[in-house]
Amino acid sequence: MKRQIIDTIQQYETIIVHRHVRPDPDAYGSQCGLAELIRVNYPNKTVYTVGEHEESLAFLAQPQQIQDEIFEGALILVTDTANTERIDDQRYKKGAYVIKIDHHPNDDAYGELLWVDTNASSCSEMIYELYEEAKNHANWTMSDEAARLLFAGIVGDTGRFLFPSASEKTFETAGHLVSYNFNRSELFDAMYEMDRKLLHLQGYINQNFTMDEHGAAHIKITEEVLQEFDVTPSETSLLVGSLGNVKGICAWIIFIEENDTIRVRLRSKGPVINTLAKKYNGGGHPLASGATAYSWAEADQVIEELKEICKNY
């Protein structure tokens, strides 16, 4: 499969790389890391990265704005995106050929060619694996910038290597990437330093979350709370894993109200929660998923179902 992807990349002169909406470091890392690898190894090809820019990830990269006609006849590569609804920039449909590269459960097997590995810690780890195949098959080389992007993606999706998804292979990959010339301290600071307002919101979460006797926890962040702390919904992504430090916690939800919807961010220390996410317009990994609720009453239903999951775990 990897060799087929490499061979297909070689056949196209225009390549457009997509990722999912509401991007995280792995979305940017895999998308922009792959684009950088292609540019370095095929300087005569034209490579674009597209999607709505997330300002909090500006330290990694910034996508490009391109015209509709560029998609005609182009190769489309989509990284870190489980289903077509979550592909950022739906113009991918205008491309000539679509390749899916992802590590989420393959519930939506889109694309003419797809490579899905749910055992990978991150899509960025998969891109490094693709590079290793291409190094032997097509003499690819790795650049410092590509290494920085892929390392950031792996760090982001493994919670700084704390999550169970970080395997021996993950650490081996990270070991190869840190041999390249980029400033790890600067990268970690950009990824994890928080504004004071976020730390204040963290304090609010710590004081106001609810947890039952089975370790099912939740916190509701309303638009009023966001306004009080001057925090945007996307900025709260840095706080999602914080309740994992609570002793006795089994799984938790952080609800973020945004316009007419409520983001549902689910995390778990054991029970599978992506099945719950799928019931509420979402999905993701067994222990880290996202969904959408359309009222606080619906959010309460999600809470009750999480309680049952933890009770029966």
Side-chain angles (χ1 to χ4, degrees):
M1 183 60 64
K2 288 172 283 187
R3 189 161 293 192
Q4 285 181 269
I5 293 172
I6 295 159
D7 289 343
T8 305
I9 287 171
Q10 291 176 331
Q11 293 169 20
Y12 286 82
E13 295 308 310
T14 300
I15 299 170
I16 304 170
V17 192
H18 294 247
R19 38 77 181 162
H20 62 73
V21 296
R22 297 174 179 169
D24 55 14
D26 189 35
Y28 264 44
S30 59
Q31 176 197 32
C32 301
L34 177 56
E36 170 68 11
L37 281 170
I38 297 170
R39 291 188 188 108
V40 165
N41 290 286
Y42 303 101
N44 293 325
K45 295 185 186 296
T46 305
V47 185
Y48 301 97
T49 56
V50 296
E52 186 175 345
H53 181 49
E54 170 54 54
E55 190 56 42
S56 66
L57 297 174
F59 67 92
L60 285 177
Q62 186 159 339
Q64 297 149 291
Q65 300 292 323
I66 63 175
Q67 302 300 314
D68 289 359
E69 55 266 23
I70 295 176
F71 285 84
E72 296 175 11
L75 171 63
I76 306 296
L77 297 164
V78 186
T79 69
D80 198 36
T81 309
N83 50 61
T84 53
E85 291 82 3
R86 298 199 73 227
I87 298 175
D88 200 336
D89 198 331
Q90 289 287 307
R91 292 180 296 172
Y92 80 91
K93 299 171 185 175
K94 297 178 180 288
Y97 195 91
V98 177
I99 298 177
K100 173 185 181 180
I101 304 175
D102 189 33
H103 69 127
H104 299 92
N106 193 27
D107 296 325
D108 184 356
Y110 63 85
E112 283 74 28
L113 187 61
L114 60 158
W115 173 34
V116 176
D117 182 2
T118 56
N119 293 318
S121 71
S122 55
C123 195
S124 294
E125 182 178 306
M126 293 177 68
I127 300 304
Y128 183 81
E129 191 177 333
L130 182 72
Y131 155 74
E132 284 196 315
E133 179 69 26
K135 180 174 65 173
N136 296 323
H137 176 59
N139 296 314
W140 280 26
T141 58
M142 173 72 67
S143 70
D144 294 334
E145 177 60 8
R148 184 184 77 93
L149 289 162
L150 297 180
F151 183 76
I154 293 170
V155 168
D157 250 29
T158 61
R160 287 180 274 191
F161 306 102
L162 293 175
F163 298 162
S165 60
S167 64
E168 181 180 342
K169 183 178 179 182
T170 307
F171 284 99
E172 184 180 336
T173 299
H176 289 305
L177 291 170
V178 297
S179 69
Y180 289 86
N181 185 27
F182 62 91
N183 191 321
R184 262 185 293 158
S185 297
E186 187 178 272
L187 182 62
F188 280 128
D189 287 347
M191 291 180 73
Y192 294 107
E193 279 187 346
M194 290 189 203
D195 286 338
R196 193 179 307 176
K197 61 183 183 179
L198 270 177
L199 291 172
H200 290 165
L201 179 58
Q202 176 68 74
Y204 174 88
I205 292 172
N206 291 343
Q207 289 184 312
N208 292 280
F209 79 92
T210 299
M211 186 170 76
D212 71 6
E213 68 272 23
H214 303 292
H218 73 275
I219 179 74
K220 295 177 178 178
I221 307 295
T222 64
E223 286 187 326
E224 289 75 20
V225 171
L226 291 172
Q227 290 168 8
E228 178 185 347
F229 290 96
D230 190 28
V231 172
T232 65
S234 61
E235 287 175 323
T236 62
S237 62
L238 289 171
L239 306 178
V240 178
S242 59
L243 288 179
N245 296 323
V246 177
K247 186 175 182 178
I249 202 165
C250 179
W252 65 98
I253 310 170
I254 295 184
F255 295 100
I256 309 293
E257 188 175 21
E258 181 181 14
N259 300 322
D260 297 327
T261 63
I262 301 166
R263 293 192 193 185
V264 182
R265 289 173 165 151
L266 294 129
R267 296 294 184 271
S268 172
K269 282 195 164 183
V272 171
I273 42 83
N274 61 351
T275 51
L276 175 58
K278 288 173 189 175
K279 291 179 65 176
Y280 292 91
N281 314 292
H285 301 289
L287 305 183
S289 295
T292 302
Y294 293 95
S295 68
W296 286 114
E298 189 175 22
D300 289 338
Q301 293 174 17
V302 182
I303 293 169
E304 291 307 311
E305 293 193 42
L306 183 72
K307 286 180 178 179
E308 282 299 309
I309 290 171
C310 292
K311 180 181 178 181
N312 295 322
Y313 178 64

